[in-house]
Amino acid sequence: NKVLANQRSPLKFGGVFHTGVEVNGEEWSFGYTPYEDQDGVCSTIPKMHPDHHYRQTVAMPDTELSVNGISSVIRELMREYRGPSYDLLRKNCCHFSDDFCQRLGVGRIPAWVYRLARIGARIDGLLQAAQRLHHAGPYKVRTPKIPATHTGS
């Protein structure tokens, strides 16, 4: 992270980050839980998540949603972001933060924040496709049967 997305650098390439969204004095984030009946969304004191080290804030515009509107969005996210659905490459805290910000009407989080996960997901997809092709075995090419033509007299 210090090389690919140095805190002082104006150009950031990506890295491995934990993200959360601070709204109304709480920081909301998403993480894995093994229990199907448990959502993976939690709130903490801003910049104080017990499992992660705070690095920097990316300022976003203020939301125009009311407190009730924000609560409604959070309830929706809690239903959609179940703990067991966490996927390091395809549905992680960065995806959650981006989704949350869009629903708050403040835009997307910067692409560099979860660029590494997107690249990893693409590589994983290619590897899975290659593995499926490998297990499918050799291809057999069928030639279409051409009906015989008769010339009559």
Side-chain angles (χ1 to χ4, degrees):
N1 289 345
K2 288 180 182 181
V3 173
L4 296 175
N6 189 288
Q7 194 169 354
R8 294 183 183 99
S9 173
L11 181 62
K12 299 188 186 331
F13 297 102
V16 179
F17 307 107
H18 170 74
T19 61
V21 176
E22 184 178 335
V23 63
N24 291 341
E26 292 182 89
E27 182 178 307
W28 294 89
S29 61
F30 171 61
Y32 174 77
T33 61
Y35 308 106
E36 191 61 44
D37 62 338
Q38 191 175 25
D39 63 74
V41 177
C42 70
S43 70
T44 60
I45 297 169
K47 305 173 184 97
M48 300 296 290
H49 195 288
D51 297 330
H52 302 283
H53 174 73
Y54 171 75
R55 184 156 180 259
Q56 82 179 76
T57 296
V58 175
M60 302 294 286
D62 291 336
T63 184
E64 293 184 15
L65 293 180
S66 66
V67 172
N68 287 339
I70 294 167
S71 295
S72 177
V73 168
I74 292 169
R75 283 192 302 275
E76 289 172 8
L77 291 167
M78 290 175 132
R79 283 191 297 273
E80 295 172 28
Y81 284 82
R82 308 306 297 169
S85 71
Y86 182 92
D87 182 292
L88 185 62
L89 299 177
R90 292 175 181 82
K91 191 175 182 181
N92 62 35
C93 59
C94 298
H95 298 97
F96 168 84
S97 294
D98 188 51
D99 191 4
F100 192 10
C101 284
Q102 289 180 68
R103 293 183 197 203
L104 290 172
V106 300
R108 301 191 76 135
I109 65 173
W112 62 264
V113 173
Y114 60 111
R115 181 171 291 132
L116 200 58
R118 286 194 321 272
I119 292 169
R122 287 186 186 121
I123 291 169
D124 183 58
L126 290 172
L127 292 174
Q128 287 181 20
Q131 192 173 27
R132 283 192 301 273
L133 288 174
H134 175 73
H135 289 297
Y139 292 103
K140 293 181 181 179
V141 178
R142 291 187 194 174
T143 54
K145 293 183 179 180
I146 301 172
T149 56
H150 299 281
T151 54
S153 34

